[in-house]
Amino acid sequence: MSKDIKNKDVKKNTGISKEYKLSIPLRIVCGQPRASRGQVMKLIWDYIKKNELQDPKDKRNINCDSNLEKVFKVKKIGMFKIAGGLREHLLSDAK
């Protein structure tokens, strides 16, 4: 088997696909105890849309409800700041 084929079969568990344990506030929003960074972003956007939290005047802003306030510690957050606000809520497993 060539090296290229071997590398395609191996799933890397790094970067955006690395699975993390979620903090309690983030678990409440996402509805699951573990997820990758990409999955968390999708779940947060699903939550925002389901609860109609986008500011109707400026869709780039998210009006945080009580659950999102516990995650981001602000009442309003810009859509481009969401990923940065997750850093402390994505917990690595201790080895």
Side-chain angles (χ1 to χ4, degrees):
M1 197 182 283
S2 75
K3 206 174 199 179
D4 292 334
I5 294 173
K6 284 182 185 177
N7 287 340
K8 289 180 182 177
D9 292 339
V10 176
K11 289 185 178 181
K12 293 184 180 179
N13 197 17
T14 59
I16 201 160
S17 65
K18 180 179 179 183
E19 193 171 84
Y20 293 93
K21 198 163 88 172
L22 306 182
S23 68
I24 301 292
L26 191 54
R27 284 182 198 185
I28 292 168
V29 172
C30 292
Q32 56 192 54
R34 300 181 65 81
S36 69
R37 184 179 293 271
Q39 290 169 325
V40 169
M41 289 300 293
K42 181 180 180 337
L43 291 167
I44 286 177
W45 273 105
D46 290 345
Y47 181 87
I48 289 168
K49 290 175 183 176
K50 177 183 164 196
N51 294 292
E52 300 177 358
L53 298 175
Q54 268 186 296
D55 188 332
K57 294 177 184 170
D58 186 355
K59 299 257 185 198
R60 294 175 297 175
N61 291 322
I62 309 304
N63 299 316
C64 297
D65 64 2
S66 62
N67 291 329
L68 281 180
E69 274 188 51
K70 291 174 186 168
V71 174
F72 298 117
K73 298 177 177 69
V74 293
K75 290 190 180 283
K76 186 179 271 194
I77 188 165
M79 67 169 34
F80 300 111
K81 304 247 183 208
I82 291 174
L86 295 175
R87 191 172 299 119
E88 67 186 73
H89 297 282
L90 300 174
L91 312 171
S92 294
D93 291 323
K95 293 184 179 180

